[in-house]
Amino acid sequence: MASNVLRILAILLGLSLPTASATAAVPLLQSACAAYSAAAAIPAPRAVIALRFSCPPIPAPDRTRWTWLRIDGSQLEQLPPQWHLLVDQTRFRRVMLMTVLTDGSVRRSIRTAGALDGIGAPGGVLDFGIGDRGSKVRAIYLGFDGVDDLSLIRRMSAATDIEAARSRDRWLILMGLFAGTLLSAFAYNVLIDRGRRFPFQRWYLAWISIALVYGMAWSNSFGIVFPKLVGPWVVGVDYILVGLLVGAGGMFFLSLVEDQLLPRWLQRTGRGLAWGGVAIGVLAATNDVLFPPLLLDRLLNMVVMTSAIMAFVGIGYAIRRGSRVVWFYVIGWAPVLTIFALRVMRNLGVFPQGDMLDIAMFGALAFEAIVLSLATSDRFRALCNELELARQSREWGLIEAEKLRSAALTDPLTGLGNRAAFQQALQTSIAVGREAPFTLFLIDVDHLKDVNDRLGHGAGDEMLCHIARRLATVAANGGGVAVRLGGDEFAIIAADGEDQCARIEADIARIQGTMWRHAEERRALSLSIGSARCPRDGREPDLLYRNADLALYQAKRLGRSLHHRYDAMLRTLLEVSTAFASDADVAMQRDEFLLYLQPIVDLQDDSVVGYEGLLRWQHPKHGLLMPSQFADILVEERIGPRVQEHVLDIALTLLRDNGAEIPYLAVNFTSAQLSGPVAAKRVLTRLAHFGVPPTALCIEVTEGVMLGRAADGVVNTLHALHDAGVRIALDDFGTGYASLSHLRQVPVDTIKIDRSFIAALERKSDSAEEIVRAIIGLAHGLGKAVVAEGVENEAQMHILLQLGCRYVQGYRFGRPVPWRAISATTRHRSVVQG
């Protein structure tokens, strides 16, 4: 077995083992002479022999004639019978071998380019078998019809049968190892990652496939299975494959080296050379008319050399910039480029003919395939690591982005969506609103300020969280989404039609009045709700929101703890209110705002102890307007405070001009008039300006003003005014949420019982009498005066007297009229008491 291995290695390396009949191959190309026949027709032997041959061959191609090579028989004397003439493959139309023996006889064989069966041999040669002993051969004539160029025939030799067999075996073993190596490298790189293919992997697989096909074609290995695939056909295919090898090799290098290591000009030049090599290879294989074959062959060799030079330049850049993978490329390509340079020198005659450089070329290609396979593997691992790190970084980034997005869309207190989330949800719902109508609910938590004041902000936050959980459950059950807009404002978007909206309405109604407990305290929950439906009430987010907000405002005006649906009348009223606001400026200049006075009477002696000033607007278009008809302008940010100041001036003018007949005048104040650090000073300054004593003015505030968002500032202002002598009255007591704690905190002189309780006194089934008795008792216990509003008949008056209420006002004692319309009798009663 060892001897067989040694024989295979010897055959592969071209070494001569001791053999009785072994004779080295005889090189013939350098000593051959050349001539050209006169016509393309098959010449007669005598005509060929008679040609004038030049030695050595002068490459003067003429594809319209036969080109002949003559080999003198003196070089063949040592050859035994059955020897072989081995000629490098080239392109031609026909080939003729003519053997002239010493006895004058001629043996002739003619083959066309498509009928070379049996003469193709491994190693890329045509094998012409000659049976005569070399000593009997006078001369050999080898003629080509339409040959490309004699200089493209780089090898021609005579070999014994044994030497030819050894050469064949050597090439078959080499190409077997070559094919096995490249196929293994190909399979490894295909299986290394079946999911992802980086560009350098794809170019490497392309290069190795082309190299495999090139080696098998060039060496005539395909001809073993397909005998016709030899000769001119293979030469044309080889040109194409060489061009593809140049292109794939260049693109592989550019894609293998790490990004940003090669300058742009070098990358562009490399790509140009790669695709230029492909183009010239295809042109050399298919176009042998417009351009001389020798020129195209030389151009292709120049592109290969230039590509190699550019690769070395790129290698220098990559090494200088710290590339790791480029070293694999250097190791793999160095042997190939070295062998290629030696082959070029052999073709130029510097080295003698032989198979060794061709064998070394394919060995170098196999070695390169292995090294470049390692390079792709190393680069692949590096890129996979980079991609894995990038993937992890991206995943962490996505997680962080999701956290940030969630934080940006989440209310930190309640965990519901915030205003930004509301805007997104509303935009999305609006986009499909025509196909899937939905309802927007805006919800305000009533009296949150009172909870914060009495129980602390922690309790207020706890109540908001409790309500948020309830609303989230309501929204989920109704197929909607709940968000907190800020402060005490929530919203629900119910996108599943009327049935789901009705369910949400019913669920919210069940929350109303339910008890919420904090420590030992219990509070009844109160929500004001406004709703608007898309697309009926608005097709744009802003319009729908404003309409729902109008409905919410109406719910608050109607007494809170209510749900009000938007209707077009609200928009009309808003427009009227806007028109009134624009009219108010002119109204103040024209003195259209009036104070109607209604007396406050002491039941014990039927005397007038004071008056309440009730605002009226003598509108030139709409006539006399009650406050309820233009109430919105009184709280409007721009015009409201100015109207209120104007009304205060009217009241102070009345007191200044009629102070002797008006014991005191009660005027309703809004929170805007009483908010801010200078509110008390502003009122006292006006009193001083008109020369009215503070005791002549009574400020009436409702529970809403006292418990509103500006409650702290209002209470401080009331204390300052009360200390200065101004009377304070709490209006409409019993209808809101004022409690004993508020009565202790606010310096109230008078408590006014709301007219709704007075109207119910005559209905025995109601508990109004007990409520009024409790209010009177509470007020007297705190040292406060009590005024019953809305007393309209004798029965109500007698009941109030029995309950201990001393002061009343209402139609029974006088309707609100201008001061000049008040009778002298009433004024006299005021003077007496004053």
Side-chain angles (χ1 to χ4, degrees):
M1 179 176 179
S3 61
N4 291 334
V5 173
L6 290 175
R7 181 175 295 278
I8 291 174
L9 291 174
I11 291 172
L12 183 60
L13 297 174
L15 300 176
S16 299
L17 292 177
T19 305
S21 57
T23 303
V26 180
L28 303 175
L29 185 61
Q30 298 301 322
S31 61
C33 301
Y36 303 95
S37 60
I42 297 176
R46 288 185 179 182
V48 174
I49 294 172
L51 293 173
R52 297 181 63 180
F53 286 88
S54 60
C55 302
I58 300 174
D62 186 347
R63 304 192 70 198
T64 64
R65 298 186 293 171
W66 281 80
T67 301
W68 292 91
L69 290 173
R70 188 186 69 185
I71 302 159
D72 191 89
S74 61
Q75 302 178 68
L76 311 174
E77 291 180 353
Q78 301 300 320
L79 295 175
Q82 305 301 323
W83 57 280
H84 299 262
L85 179 65
L86 305 177
V87 184
D88 207 1
Q89 295 186 123
T90 187
R91 288 188 295 188
F92 53 80
R93 289 188 292 270
R94 288 174 293 182
V95 61
M96 183 170 71
L97 177 64
M98 190 172 71
T99 306
V100 180
L101 302 179
T102 56
D103 59 4
S105 59
V106 177
R107 305 184 192 279
R108 192 170 66 165
S109 173
I110 300 175
R111 298 251 187 164
T112 63
L116 299 177
D117 307 27
I119 67 170
V125 296
L126 298 179
D127 186 344
F128 296 93
I130 299 176
D132 299 296
R133 182 182 294 274
S135 59
K136 294 183 178 182
V137 177
R138 180 186 300 171
I140 297 291
Y141 295 87
L142 183 64
F144 299 95
D145 177 18
V147 72
D148 278 350
D149 194 290
L150 284 181
S151 64
L152 298 179
I153 300 177
R154 301 179 176 98
R155 290 180 302 166
M156 187 169 64
S157 61
T160 64
D161 194 49
I162 293 176
E163 179 59 28
R166 182 183 291 118
S167 175
R168 181 176 61 252
D169 293 344
R170 184 165 57 238
W171 276 102
L172 290 177
I173 293 173
L174 172 67
M175 298 315 296
L177 294 174
F178 175 78
T181 301
L182 265 65
L183 286 173
S184 297
F186 183 89
Y188 172 75
N189 281 272
V190 167
L191 297 175
I192 191 172
D193 181 25
R194 288 175 288 180
R196 183 187 300 276
R197 286 282 180 266
F198 295 105
F200 68 86
Q201 287 179 289
R202 292 193 290 268
W203 283 117
Y204 175 73
L205 292 174
W207 179 87
I208 205 170
S209 302
I210 297 168
L212 177 61
V213 175
Y214 171 73
M216 302 304 286
W218 186 94
S219 66
N220 281 340
S221 297
F222 284 144
I224 297 173
V225 181
F226 306 103
K228 291 183 179 295
L229 300 184
V230 296
W233 184 89
V234 170
V235 175
V237 171
D238 286 345
Y239 277 122
I240 296 176
L241 293 173
V242 170
L244 293 175
L245 276 175
V246 172
M251 296 304 296
F252 169 70
F253 173 74
L254 294 175
S255 60
L256 179 69
V257 178
E258 296 87 344
D259 294 338
Q260 310 301 325
L261 293 187
L262 300 180
R264 289 189 176 274
W265 68 265
L266 185 62
Q267 296 182 36
R268 288 194 294 267
T269 305
R271 292 190 185 95
L273 288 171
W275 296 113
V278 174
I280 293 175
V282 173
L283 193 64
T286 59
N287 192 331
D288 54 3
V289 177
L290 296 179
F291 302 99
L294 183 61
L295 174 63
L296 295 174
D297 181 84
R298 294 294 185 261
L299 284 176
L300 187 58
N301 279 274
M302 288 177 60
V303 170
V304 173
M305 290 300 296
T306 308
S307 297
I309 293 171
M310 295 303 297
F312 277 116
V313 174
I315 288 170
Y317 271 103
I319 292 175
R320 189 173 63 181
R321 297 181 178 181
S323 172
R324 163 190 166 87
V325 74
V326 75
W327 288 107
F328 290 98
Y329 194 83
V330 172
I331 295 171
W333 272 95
V336 175
L337 293 177
T338 301
I339 299 299
F340 176 79
L342 293 175
R343 287 184 76 198
V344 172
M345 297 173 69
R346 182 200 66 182
N347 294 339
L348 296 176
V350 176
F351 295 119
Q353 300 177 59
D355 289 345
M356 289 305 300
L357 287 177
D358 296 317
I359 291 173
M361 172 61 73
F362 289 104
L365 287 174
F367 174 76
E368 180 184 18
I370 294 174
V371 174
L372 294 186
S373 180
L374 296 175
T376 59
S377 176
D378 181 78
R379 183 78 172 113
F380 174 77
R381 283 195 299 270
L383 283 177
C384 283
N385 290 336
E386 292 175 8
L387 290 174
E388 178 62 20
L389 292 175
R391 183 190 64 80
Q392 293 178 1
S393 176
R394 187 168 57 254
E395 288 182 355
W396 281 109
L398 290 174
I399 292 173
E400 290 298 322
E402 179 60 25
K403 288 182 179 178
L404 291 175
R405 190 194 70 82
S406 178
L409 298 176
T410 303
D411 175 56
L413 176 64
T414 64
L416 297 179
N418 59 11
R419 185 175 289 275
F422 168 73
Q423 295 292 346
Q424 287 188 8
L426 188 59
Q427 290 280 2
T428 301
S429 300
I430 287 284
V432 295
R434 294 184 180 182
E435 293 77 15
F438 69 94
T439 297
L440 170 63
F441 295 88
L442 295 183
I443 304 159
D444 260 15
V445 179
D446 298 327
H447 314 300
L448 176 63
K449 180 66 170 62
D450 179 52
V451 174
N452 287 333
D453 291 344
R454 294 191 57 210
L455 304 179
H457 287 275
D461 291 345
E462 185 179 325
M463 185 176 77
L464 287 175
C465 291
H466 173 76
I467 292 174
R469 289 191 294 270
R470 297 288 300 269
L471 293 179
T473 302
V474 168
N477 292 339
V481 58
V483 298
R484 182 189 178 208
L485 300 178
D488 57 1
E489 300 175 271
F490 293 86
I492 291 178
I493 299 175
D496 290 327
E498 294 284 0
D499 293 342
Q500 301 292 13
C501 293
R503 179 185 300 176
I504 288 178
E505 291 179 17
D507 289 345
I508 294 177
R510 293 190 189 96
I511 298 176
Q512 299 280 24
T514 58
M515 301 307 295
W516 168 75
R517 182 187 297 274
H518 176 75
E520 300 300 323
E521 295 284 339
R522 299 181 67 197
R523 301 280 299 197
L525 298 180
S526 174
L527 306 175
S528 296
I529 307 107
S531 63
R533 184 170 174 75
C534 177
R536 183 188 64 201
D537 300 329
R539 298 177 183 272
E540 298 298 327
D542 185 59
L543 177 60
L544 188 68
Y545 178 84
R546 285 189 284 111
N547 288 342
D549 194 50
L550 276 176
L552 173 62
Y553 179 72
Q554 187 68 7
K556 292 180 179 179
R557 289 185 59 186
L558 295 176
R560 301 179 184 269
S561 196
L562 296 172
H563 172 210
H564 194 84
R565 298 181 184 85
Y566 172 80
D567 59 64
M569 184 57 68
L570 292 178
R571 179 61 58 185
T572 302
L573 293 175
L574 177 63
E575 293 171 355
V576 171
S577 175
T578 302
F580 281 163
S582 63
D583 293 343
D585 282 321
V586 178
M588 287 186 286
Q589 296 173 12
R590 295 177 178 176
D591 293 328
E592 294 175 4
F593 289 106
L594 308 172
L595 272 182
Y596 278 37
L597 274 56
Q598 186 176 37
I600 301 172
V601 178
D602 184 343
L603 291 179
Q604 290 186 358
D605 56 10
D606 196 33
S607 63
V608 177
V609 295
Y611 293 90
E612 179 179 2
L614 301 171
L615 182 62
R616 300 291 186 266
W617 184 356
Q618 188 63 53
H619 197 281
K621 180 179 179 181
H622 301 288
L624 188 66
L625 300 177
M626 307 293 286
S628 60
Q629 295 174 283
F630 57 91
D632 289 341
I633 72 166
L634 300 179
V635 294
E636 199 270 334
E637 292 182 359
R638 183 187 66 86
I639 195 65
R642 294 173 55 198
V643 172
Q644 294 290 350
E645 292 299 321
H646 180 68
V647 172
L648 178 60
D649 286 351
I650 295 173
L652 295 179
T653 300
L654 280 173
L655 288 172
R656 181 194 64 191
D657 297 341
N658 305 279
E661 300 178 283
I662 302 176
Y664 73 86
L665 181 59
V667 181
N668 288 282
F669 270 53
T670 64
S671 60
Q673 290 176 280
L674 299 173
S675 299
V678 298
K681 182 178 179 181
R682 186 167 56 246
V683 174
L684 295 175
T685 300
R686 299 307 294 167
L687 285 167
H689 175 76
F690 282 92
V692 176
T695 54
L697 177 65
C698 177
I699 292 177
E700 289 196 5
V701 294
T702 63
E703 295 179 11
V705 172
M706 194 171 64
L707 301 179
R709 290 181 177 143
D712 290 339
V714 169
V715 171
N716 292 335
T717 300
L718 292 177
H719 274 289
L721 292 172
H722 189 265
D723 293 342
V726 177
R727 306 182 189 214
I728 308 297
L730 180 58
D731 199 12
D732 300 334
F733 186 81
T735 60
Y737 287 82
S739 62
L740 286 173
S741 64
H742 297 111
L743 294 178
R744 292 198 341 259
Q745 294 171 6
V746 181
V748 174
D749 298 297
T750 303
I751 293 176
K752 303 186 76 171
I753 303 174
D754 187 70
R755 65 181 63 249
S756 62
F757 296 110
I758 306 304
L761 284 176
E762 298 176 87
R763 297 193 294 269
K764 299 299 184 183
S765 57
D766 291 342
S767 57
E769 185 173 327
E770 286 75 14
I771 295 174
V772 172
R773 179 183 289 109
I775 294 174
I776 293 170
L778 172 64
H780 289 169
L782 295 173
K784 315 292 184 185
V786 178
V787 175
E789 296 181 298
V791 179
E792 297 184 355
N793 54 53
E794 294 287 334
Q796 295 170 348
M797 184 183 69
H798 289 302
I799 295 173
L800 289 170
L801 279 172
Q802 294 174 4
L803 295 176
C805 181
R806 180 176 176 179
Y807 303 105
V808 295
Q809 72 179 91
Y811 289 173
R812 165 68 180 77
F813 305 97
R815 291 178 177 272
V817 293
W819 172 250
R820 63 179 177 272
I822 295 178
S823 67
T825 303
T826 302
R827 294 185 183 186
H828 178 70
R829 289 159 57 194
S830 301
V831 172
V832 172
Q833 291 299 317

